[in-house]
Amino acid sequence: MKKIQMSVCLLSVFSLLGALTSCGGGGGASDSLTSQNTTKNASVVFWHTFGAGIDQNINEKINEFERLVLENDNVNVTVDATYQGNYDDIQRKIINGIGGGNIPNLTVAYPDHVASYFAQESTRGDYVVNLQPYMDNEEYGLGKEAYLGDKFGEDDFIESFLEEGRQFIAEGTYVLPFMKSSEVLFYNEDAVAYALRLRDPSFSGTTEDYLASLSWDEFMDLARFCLENKEEVWSGMTTPVVYDSDSNLFITKMYQNNIPYSSVDTTNEIGVIDFESGENRERAEAMVLKLKGYADEGLLTTKGILGEYGSSEFTEGRAIFSISSSGGTGYNLPTSDSFEVKMTVVPADNNNPLYVSQGPSLTILKKRNSSEQDNINTLYAWKLLKYLTNAEVNVDICIRGSQGYIPVRTSAFETDEFLDFLETGEGYADTANVLLEDIDGNYLSTAVFSGSSKLRDEVGSIITVVLKGEKSVSDAFDDAIENTKLVMG
């Protein structure tokens, strides 16, 4: 991993809170907070999706954040962090609460969901805060508050993760990464090693290196061989490969085959479905039909076809390959010693290894026509965001109960805690190594606009209904595009 030169900028703690010029919804903070003689108050409401393991860890970090702020800023900040269900639950609650101001200051979000908050604004910046002015601020921007562990600037974030928050119609940065994952290939080492020796008795390499060298079509050839020889390779196998996300399968294959997927028309501030017609449509349909051919052979199935995640198919021995999020590593590890599980990068098309970035990001919201106190609360939501993403805190959250997520800053990978984790973390560390060493930042970012979340769902449906044989490829594409455009307006 590339090392970066570390520089720490130490500031006077009472010069942190100068007014922030409003820029694209950036908001502002009051100069009245700079007085060191009077304790001020701030309140941050944080909505998240985290279960007990991460929730407990985050609450510990929040307690420390509150202590540090009081000691250094002379501000009594109270953070109310609450579980609000899954991502869709939070999105629904925020949209329902926007009119009455019942929204959090800081929230877990997918970029697609933030686009739906933009759609509620009559004026840009009514609710969604542009983080870029905060990131660049000379007093409390990135790398400006060492007491929060905030040692480095914007370039400390992994670039592809940072770009995800800049794919909106509006110029600026509206989402910052918190914990990240991507799809990896989990495989049954016992079955695959046997298959490789059965196919080529002279084979002497490792299964991991061999699988990592394959193209997608070569991977399907191996799956075909395993299925044709299932009684010797793994008799309980029904379908060699399970893919956990129909949407990711479609999007990944589009990008790996250089087929335009979506974009934004910044002049008219609308989203564009790039494969709606013409050559792009023809190539996209051909791509899906090729996948259908593999499914018809019995080589590949998906969550949409199964009606459930494929991890159970894998752990129970009905599949020998599982393409799943590293964030779900634990679900792909058998509870018994029935076989050894290993992980590697998912084979790609056209020597073009691009993969979907997954995992929680954070965004900051504010009330329309915010008061001075609201602006103070927004500022401390920003400080909390910085604190949760500093190297030491972010590493600790990621490796304690996060089910395979990796930190979002380069400096995090050089911490003693993360290096120790890579040595001792077993399966979780193995998936982290795949993301760091094999994928190595090659993540794709899709455009974000009103309707982009719907488009993602609809292209997943294309995979499901075509591979199941419920619709023709042409009808599936027509329906998906029509359904998306109804949401886009």
Side-chain angles (χ1 to χ4, degrees):
M1 290 172 282
K2 182 179 69 176
K3 295 184 183 290
I4 62 174
Q5 296 296 320
M6 300 184 178
S7 61
V8 179
C9 182
L10 299 176
L11 302 177
S12 170
V13 298
F14 297 112
S15 64
L16 299 174
L17 303 173
L20 176 68
T21 302
S22 178
C23 177
S30 169
D31 283 327
S32 65
L33 282 179
T34 59
S35 170
Q36 57 180 307
N37 298 316
T38 305
T39 300
K40 304 298 182 181
N41 295 311
S43 177
V44 176
V45 176
F46 176 27
W47 286 4
H48 64 74
T49 60
F50 307 126
I54 302 178
D55 182 39
Q56 180 179 354
N57 193 345
I58 288 178
N59 283 331
E60 293 172 3
K61 301 297 186 291
I62 285 172
N63 291 337
E64 179 67 7
F65 170 77
E66 292 172 341
R67 183 188 68 79
L68 289 170
V69 168
L70 183 60
E71 290 181 357
N72 291 272
D73 282 6
N74 201 29
V75 173
N76 183 24
V77 60
T78 301
V79 179
D80 178 17
T82 58
Y83 171 79
Q84 295 289 333
N86 61 31
Y87 288 92
D88 292 335
D89 292 332
I90 286 183
Q91 180 190 30
R92 183 181 66 256
K93 291 176 181 179
I94 289 174
I95 289 176
N96 291 339
I98 273 178
N102 183 26
I103 56 176
N105 307 97
L106 180 66
T107 184
V108 166
Y110 285 142
D112 283 335
H113 292 172
V114 176
S116 69
Y117 310 150
F118 272 127
Q120 308 301 309
E121 298 180 334
S122 56
T123 302
R124 183 71 70 231
D126 279 347
Y127 307 115
V128 184
V129 173
N130 182 3
L131 301 176
Q132 196 64 51
Y134 285 83
M135 296 162 66
D136 296 339
N137 188 272
E138 288 299 319
E139 295 178 351
Y140 46 81
L142 289 174
K144 303 298 184 181
E145 295 179 299
Y147 83 89
L148 292 175
D150 179 32
K151 303 174 184 178
F152 308 108
E154 178 179 311
D155 60 357
D156 190 39
F157 280 95
I158 296 174
E159 184 178 2
S160 53
F161 294 161
L162 191 62
E163 281 303 308
E164 203 176 12
R166 294 172 168 166
Q167 301 298 310
F168 295 88
I169 289 172
E171 184 178 353
T173 302
Y174 295 91
V175 172
L176 283 178
F178 182 33
M179 299 185 291
K180 285 299 175 182
S181 61
S182 190
E183 288 174 329
V184 300
L185 178 66
F186 298 88
Y187 62 94
N188 180 329
E189 165 70 10
D190 301 340
V192 177
Y194 183 86
L196 293 179
R197 292 193 300 270
L198 180 65
R199 189 169 66 166
D200 179 7
S202 66
F203 178 78
S204 60
T206 67
T207 53
E208 180 180 6
D209 289 343
Y210 181 81
L211 291 173
S213 71
L214 295 180
S215 68
W216 177 261
D217 288 342
E218 291 168 339
F219 175 53
M220 288 292 104
D221 288 341
L222 176 60
R224 183 181 297 108
F225 177 85
C226 292
L227 185 62
E228 291 172 348
N229 296 275
K230 61 176 288 186
E231 294 306 321
E232 295 179 80
V233 172
W234 198 259
S235 61
M237 181 191 344
T238 55
T239 307
V241 183
V242 289
Y243 206 117
D244 256 352
S245 172
D246 298 56
S247 296
N248 284 354
L249 177 56
F250 184 99
I251 295 168
T252 300
K253 291 304 169 191
M254 290 284 282
Y255 275 77
Q256 290 179 354
N257 285 281
N258 297 307
I259 306 172
Y261 172 66
S262 67
S263 57
V264 293
D265 177 348
T266 55
T267 301
N268 297 304
E269 294 196 345
I270 58 173
V272 179
I273 303 172
D274 290 331
F275 60 90
E276 182 176 355
S277 60
E279 181 183 355
N280 293 344
R281 168 75 175 259
E282 293 175 4
R283 294 179 63 205
E285 288 189 4
M287 177 198 78
V288 172
L289 286 174
K290 185 175 182 179
L291 292 171
K292 176 174 169 52
Y294 290 136
D296 288 347
E297 285 189 72
L299 307 182
L300 171 71
T301 191
T302 69
K303 178 189 174 186
I305 295 170
L306 293 170
E308 61 181 1
Y309 284 106
S311 55
S312 59
E313 293 288 300
F314 178 68
T315 58
E316 294 172 15
R318 293 187 293 277
I320 60 173
F321 299 101
S322 172
I323 299 172
S324 182
S325 171
S326 61
T329 294
Y331 298 107
N332 284 281
L333 302 177
T335 55
S336 67
D337 294 328
S338 52
F339 59 89
E340 181 181 5
V341 178
K342 289 190 176 181
M343 307 84 173
T344 191
V345 67
V346 181
D349 281 324
N350 300 310
N351 194 30
N352 190 20
L354 292 172
Y355 301 94
V356 174
S357 169
Q358 298 174 284
S361 296
L362 297 172
T363 195
I364 294 178
L365 304 175
K366 68 181 183 68
K367 298 175 184 177
R368 183 163 47 189
N369 302 319
S370 298
S371 67
E372 180 181 9
Q373 185 60 53
D374 289 330
N375 290 334
I376 292 170
N377 296 341
T378 298
L379 176 62
Y380 277 88
W382 161 247
K383 288 172 179 272
L384 177 59
L385 192 162
K386 286 201 303 177
Y387 179 72
L388 293 175
T389 59
N390 82 44
E392 287 76 14
V393 170
N394 202 228
V395 165
D396 196 61
I397 292 172
C398 284
I399 69 178
R400 288 175 58 195
S402 75
Q403 290 284 303
Y405 292 100
I406 62 169
V408 297
R409 289 177 176 251
T410 303
S411 58
F413 305 136
E414 301 296 333
T415 62
D416 290 341
E417 187 174 11
F418 191 75
L419 294 173
D420 288 344
F421 167 72
L422 292 181
E423 293 294 326
T424 62
E426 297 182 342
Y428 297 103
D430 291 338
T431 54
N433 267 313
V434 172
L435 269 61
L436 296 176
E437 302 297 336
D438 296 325
I439 296 180
D440 191 25
N442 289 315
Y443 298 103
L444 60 90
S445 294
T446 58
V448 185
F449 49 86
S450 179
S452 58
S453 179
K454 180 64 171 176
L455 179 60
R456 174 182 170 79
D457 292 341
E458 289 295 329
V459 298
S461 294
I462 290 175
I463 293 291
T464 303
V465 298
V466 173
L467 270 57
K468 289 176 71 174
E470 294 178 346
K471 290 183 182 179
S472 70
V473 67
S474 179
D475 287 346
F477 270 73
D478 285 344
D479 291 346
I481 292 167
E482 180 181 355
N483 292 339
T484 302
K485 295 185 79 170
L486 287 173
V487 174
M488 292 169 62

